[in-house]
Amino acid sequence: MTIPVGILGLGTFLPDKRLTNADLEKMVETTDEWIISRTGIRERRLAGKGVPTSELAVEAARRALKDAGLTPADIGLIIVATISPDMIFPATACIVQYKLGAECPAYDISAACSGFPFAMSAAHSYVASGMYERVLVIGAEVLSAFIDWTDRSTCVLFGDGAGAAIIAPAENGRLIIDTQLGSSGKHADLLKLPAGGSAMRASEETVRERLHFLKMDGKEIFKLAVRYMGDAVLKLLKTHNLNLDDIRLLIPHQANLRIISAVADRVGMPMERVFVNVDKYGNMSSAASIVALAEAAQCGKIKSGDYVVLVAFGAGLTWSASLIKW
Ligand code: UT7
């Protein structure tokens, strides 16, 4: 027997510091007009210098626990989705566990912008099988630490932030029905942080050549994002015998407003029923989906009984589509 699984609590943490397009105009050769017309991004948040991802993760987790009326002792497992961990190892989730004062097992998932849904899917399985009762799932990033602030083609796109959810036996709706996952390693080169791993060891040369920063083939990623996210939504709906009219809100990965509109177009969803907050935060990778879901719920865009589709896409490549009944 599988246990119906839901979202018991949600929390977000966005650092106070805002980096506007006007600020970026002073740093690289760009304009507010270019950034808005090509990406829809107006500002993004930045963690303070030296503030690690675990700090943002812990704040979001505390808020999700409060929202669910739980304490760290009630959590059976912590999963942190991130591509900007405090260190390559140990897992940021272990650092979060200690800072929260929890004593449960903890590990990280690296699935880039699909990180939160991948982690939620794992949590779903644990709870459905009865292996763990309550799982704290966090998507958190301090991407500003891995951005080349001299590269205008990437530095305008990303931001820092965190979101958390408590996944547990469903109590009052917010039912996670399904998460379908996909990956394509043949496209791994399109979006990566080349140096510092075992494939390209850190050296003076890698530092000099700025290979410890994120590199992206933006054009190719753009095309694949639209295709994979669009197809993932259609496949999810087909699996569950639903059509777009049944879906109250589509929450796509928040990377670029043009990608979001193209996905909406591809599946035939009117933009009034598509959630957008990329203008405020830029692309927060693993944190994007959970922050968007929490904000959509908070501002009343989804109500009890509504079907919501979360669709994500990122480096790996990875992609996912989740069906949630609020
Ligand atoms: O979640 C997955 C993670 N990433 C993404 O989803 C991002 C996917 N890609 C994109 O969002 C878009 O490809 C970008 C926003 C990165 C770029 O938009 P684009 O329409 O594909 O522009 P482009 O790369 O073709 O660049 C057009 C021009 C180039 O100049 P030339 O060669 O035409 O003279 C760039 O050098 O725009 C130039 N450019 C800029 N100009 C002003 C690139 N970045 C900037 C900038 N400001 N920040």
Side-chain angles (χ1 to χ4, degrees), residues 28-31 34-35 38-39 113-114 151-158 191 214 216-223 225 229 253-259 283 285 313-315:
V28 287
E29 205 183 320
T30 191
T31 60
W34 190 96
I35 301 172
R38 298 292 181 116
T39 73
C113 305
S114 316
D151 174 10
R152 69 175 185 175
S153 71
T154 53
C155 77
V156 303
L157 303 173
F158 297 93
L191 180 46
L214 175 152
M216 175 169 70
D217 179 341
K219 261 196 192 328
E220 210 43 44
I221 286 283
F222 189 114
K223 280 190 272 181
M229 279 197 280
H253 173 51
Q254 305 287 315
N256 181 325
L257 184 57
R258 283 163 55 222
I259 296 178
N283 182 351
S285 195
F313 172 87

Side-chain angles (χ1 to χ4, degrees), residues 153-229:
S153 71
T154 53
C155 77
V156 303
L157 303 173
F158 297 93
D160 302 337
I166 313 291
I167 309 299
E171 277 179 11
N172 48 357
R174 300 175 173 205
L175 191 70
I176 304 168
I177 296 170
D178 188 16
T179 298
Q180 300 183 344
L181 309 176
S183 300
S184 171
K186 77 173 174 207
H187 294 113
D189 274 341
L190 295 176
L191 180 46
K192 62 183 177 184
L193 197 151
S198 52
M200 193 188 289
R201 297 170 191 201
S203 67
E204 283 180 27
E205 194 189 346
T206 58
V207 173
R208 205 168 39 246
E209 291 181 7
R210 311 185 77 76
L211 295 172
H212 295 269
F213 294 121
L214 175 152
K215 309 283 174 202
M216 175 169 70
D217 179 341
K219 261 196 192 328
E220 210 43 44
I221 286 283
F222 189 114
K223 280 190 272 181
L224 293 169
V226 174
R227 192 200 309 159
Y228 282 115
M229 279 197 280

Side-chain angles (χ1 to χ4, degrees), residues 57-73:
V58 165
E59 281 309 316
R62 287 200 179 112
R63 291 171 189 191
L65 284 166
K66 189 166 177 229
D67 188 43
L70 298 172
T71 69

